[in-house]
Amino acid sequence: MSYPYRSVATLDPALGLIVLQADETLEGDMRAMMPLETAFYVSRVPSDDAVTSETLAEMAGHLTRSAGLLPHAARFSSIGYGCTSGAAEIGSDRVAGLIRAGKSSPHVTNPLSALIAACEHLGVTRLALLSPYVAQVSAKLRDALARQGIETPVFGSFDEAEEAKVVRIDGPSIVAAAVDLASRGGAEAVFLSCTNLRTLGVIDQIERETGQPCLSSNQVLAWHMAQAAGITARIPGRLGQGMVTSLK
C-alpha cells in the first residue's frame, strides 16, 4: 500500500559541529548551551590520542571529508570546528576553507576565532591562559593570539599530552589553577583552553573567586555560533550576559 504525504515547511537553518574523534566533552557542552529546539548536527574528524603539533596538523587532511558528512539537505547558519590548538596549528582561514569545501555555510568558526571575537566583545587584551597541554602545543596558540593583539602574560599548564587524561581533569583542579593564575596579576580575564577540558560547570565559580571574566573554548565557540545564527543560548559567565541567565 502506498500512502500520500505532505511536506513540512522549509526548516530553519541548522548548526553544524566538527568534533575531534578523541573529544568526550564538546558535544555535550554544546547541547547543554543551545536551546532544545535548535537543529544541531555533529560530524567527527580523525584525531590522535596524543596531542602534538604534528598530530594537530594532520587533521587538515580530514576536515573537508568530515564537513561533507554533515546532512546534505540541511542548511547551516554556522559550522564550528572544535579544536582550539588545531585551529592555531592549521590556521583559522585555512580551517574555514577546508570546511566550506565540504559543506557550505556563511559562518565557519573555531574556538580560536571565537575567543578573539569574545575578547573584542568584552574589551579584553590580556589573558591568563590555562592549557592542559605541553608548552610546544600552547606556544602556537599564544602566538596566534598575539598576532591579533591579545597577550598572554600569565600562562599555566597541566602538562598533559593524552586526550584520555585531559578529559578526566576534575573541576577543583581547574578552579585552583585558574584562580592561582589570575592572582599573579597582569591579565584582565582567564581563558581555559581545550574543548575536551570539562570547564562549563566551573566558569561562574572562577569568576566569583577572581573577579574577572572567565572564558573557555566550548563557551566562546557556542557564543560565537549562537551570535551568527541569532540564537539565544545559555552561555555561562559574563560572556553570556545579555543573552540569557548563566547556565546552572
Side-chain angles (χ1 to χ4, degrees):
M1 178 66 70
S2 177
Y3 296 99
Y5 68 88
R6 293 179 296 178
S7 295
V8 299
T10 302
L11 299 176
D12 291 336
L15 297 180
L17 188 66
I18 299 174
V19 180
L20 273 59
Q21 180 181 356
D23 194 304
E24 301 176 45
T25 305
L26 176 57
E27 186 174 353
D29 280 1
M30 291 292 287
R31 293 192 186 281
M33 286 183 279
M34 295 297 174
L36 290 176
E37 66 272 16
T38 302
F40 184 73
Y41 302 111
V42 177
S43 182
R44 292 267 170 171
V45 62
S47 62
D48 202 285
D49 290 334
V51 181
T52 67
S53 294
E54 292 73 25
T55 59
L56 291 168
E58 286 173 2
M59 277 189 281
H62 302 285
L63 281 174
T64 298
R65 175 169 171 75
S66 294
L69 292 174
L70 290 167
H72 290 175
R75 295 180 297 121
F76 289 90
S77 56
S78 181
I79 298 176
Y81 163 57
C83 187
T84 319
S85 297
E89 185 69 41
I90 300 166
S92 291
D93 289 343
R94 187 180 177 206
V95 165
L98 290 168
I99 288 174
R100 286 194 172 105
K103 186 63 185 177
S104 176
S105 176
H107 184 258
V108 177
T109 187
N110 61 75
L112 173 57
S113 295
L115 173 61
I116 293 166
C119 285
E120 181 178 0
H121 175 73
L122 295 172
V124 168
T125 59
R126 297 190 306 278
L127 291 171
L129 172 59
L130 177 62
S131 168
Y133 300 129
V134 296
Q136 178 193 14
V137 172
S138 301
K140 283 288 183 70
L141 174 59
R142 298 178 74 185
D143 289 345
L145 290 170
R147 288 194 295 272
Q148 298 298 319
I150 302 170
E151 301 299 327
T152 53
V154 187
F155 172 75
S157 171
F158 293 113
D159 286 325
E160 185 52 67
E162 295 181 41
E163 287 285 12
K165 293 181 179 179
V166 168
V167 69
R168 284 160 181 83
I169 297 172
D170 71 2
S173 299
I174 297 170
V175 171
V179 171
D180 181 68
L181 284 177
S183 72
R184 297 175 183 272
E188 302 162 327
V190 178
F191 177 58
L192 313 175
S193 181
C194 180
T195 59
N196 209 12
L197 199 63
R198 297 187 185 276
T199 61
L200 214 59
V202 300
I203 288 172
D204 289 329
Q205 181 180 351
I206 291 170
E207 290 195 344
R208 287 194 302 269
E209 295 194 24
T210 65
Q212 296 181 345
C214 180
L215 304 172
S216 80
S217 292
N218 296 356
Q219 171 215 36
V220 297
L221 182 61
W223 172 81
H224 206 211
M225 293 178 69
Q227 292 279 93
I231 293 170
T232 301
R234 298 182 294 273
I235 306 298
R238 296 188 196 178
L239 184 63
Q241 292 178 0
M243 296 186 76
V244 75
T245 55
S246 295
L247 187 73
K248 300 301 182 185

